[in-house]
Amino acid sequence: TVIKKEGTRIPVVIHSKPIYTNGKITGALVVGYDITERKKAEAKIRESEARFRAVQENSLDRFTILRPFYNDHGDIIDFTYLYQNAQAAKTAGRRPEELVGCRMTEIFPSFPQTRFFSIYKQVINTGRVTEFEDRYQADGVDDWFHVTVTPIPDGIAIATQIITEQKKIAEALRESEERFRVSQELSPDGFTILRPVRNKKGAIIDFMWVYEN
């Protein structure tokens, strides 16, 4: 930091070089560069990162940033954790800081054989945001996930929600509807479900068939 004539302080980077006369140092050349704007930019970046972490650490969604890991032939064979929020780390049974720098196969050995791995590679190669649902049923995990994968300069950012309960409810409803359909198809009685058709005044003027055995 240097003080200007008017008394204000500014951050600077100073480069110096000795001046020689007849082989002896007789002075120095000193050049200072004002880095005020750079410092402001760095402060904004730190603030942005702090806000990002605050949002992610308090989010109920799982959020992960991964960097692709390549073999000698340039093929993606794994991903390295750059960031995970607390919710995402729960799936691995680790603290977020324990995962940074680890490769995914160290935590989930079956990962390369899954659709998740295929889509993560696809996003790296195409640069396109991809959204999908799939079940991870290996490495001590058995859950359905709704996943949004977004390409970023360092790799991919992944937002994930566990939707296992929604899937169970949907499956239970499907099974219930199937049992109902089978019971009615096998019933000797006639069975019909009708939906009323109303006019603009709300009066019933007809019925629409919904189901009939």
Side-chain angles (χ1 to χ4, degrees), residues 1-2 8 29 38 77-78 110 118 133 141 144 152 155 202 206:
T1 302
V2 299
T8 57
L29 176 64
R38 191 178 83 183
I77 60 171
D78 206 343
S110 303
S118 299
E133 293 181 359
V141 179
W144 278 90
I152 60 175
D206 205 345

Side-chain angles (χ1 to χ4, degrees), residues 162-171:
I162 292 181
I163 57 170
T164 305
E165 290 306 311
Q166 294 95 310
K167 287 290 185 180
K168 287 180 179 179
I169 292 170
E171 179 62 18

Side-chain angles (χ1 to χ4, degrees), residues 15-26:
H15 297 281
S16 61
K17 182 179 181 181
I19 298 174
Y20 292 91
T21 302
N22 298 324
K24 295 181 179 181
I25 297 176
T26 57

Side-chain angles (χ1 to χ4, degrees), residues 6-130:
E6 62 270 25
T8 57
R9 294 175 178 268
I10 61 170
V12 296
V13 171
I14 296 177
H15 297 281
S16 61
K17 182 179 181 181
I19 298 174
Y20 292 91
T21 302
N22 298 324
K24 295 181 179 181
I25 297 176
T26 57
L29 176 64
V30 181
V31 179
Y33 298 94
D34 184 347
I35 58 170
T36 302
E37 293 305 316
R38 191 178 83 183
K39 287 292 184 180
K40 288 180 180 179
E42 290 173 351
K44 288 182 179 179
I45 291 172
R46 285 194 298 270
E47 290 174 5
S48 177
E49 290 176 345
R51 287 194 296 268
F52 166 80
R53 290 184 181 277
V55 169
Q56 292 305 325
E57 292 307 319
N58 290 288
S59 173
L60 296 178
D61 292 337
R62 287 156 166 77
F63 188 80
T64 303
I65 296 177
L66 301 174
R67 176 190 293 141
F69 184 87
Y70 298 87
N71 64 13
D72 293 338
H73 302 291
D75 303 316
I76 298 174
I77 60 171
D78 206 343
F79 285 87
T80 302
Y81 286 102
L82 297 184
Y83 173 82
Q84 270 213 322
N85 69 358
Q87 288 294 329
K90 286 181 180 179
T91 303
R94 306 285 186 90
R95 294 194 302 273
E97 60 270 21
E98 293 176 330
L99 293 171
V100 175
C102 291
R103 285 163 58 179
M104 284 204 73
T105 52
E106 296 178 65
I107 312 300
F108 303 108
S110 303
F111 174 66
Q113 286 77 52
T114 67
R115 183 175 173 227
F116 293 83
F117 181 64
S118 299
I119 292 179
Y120 291 2
K121 289 197 302 180
Q122 174 185 307
V123 172
I124 291 290
N125 292 328
T126 64
R128 295 177 182 174
V129 176
T130 302

Side-chain angles (χ1 to χ4, degrees), residues 152-164:
I152 60 175
D154 285 343
I156 49 176
I158 305 157
T160 308
Q161 297 88 38
I162 292 181
I163 57 170
T164 305

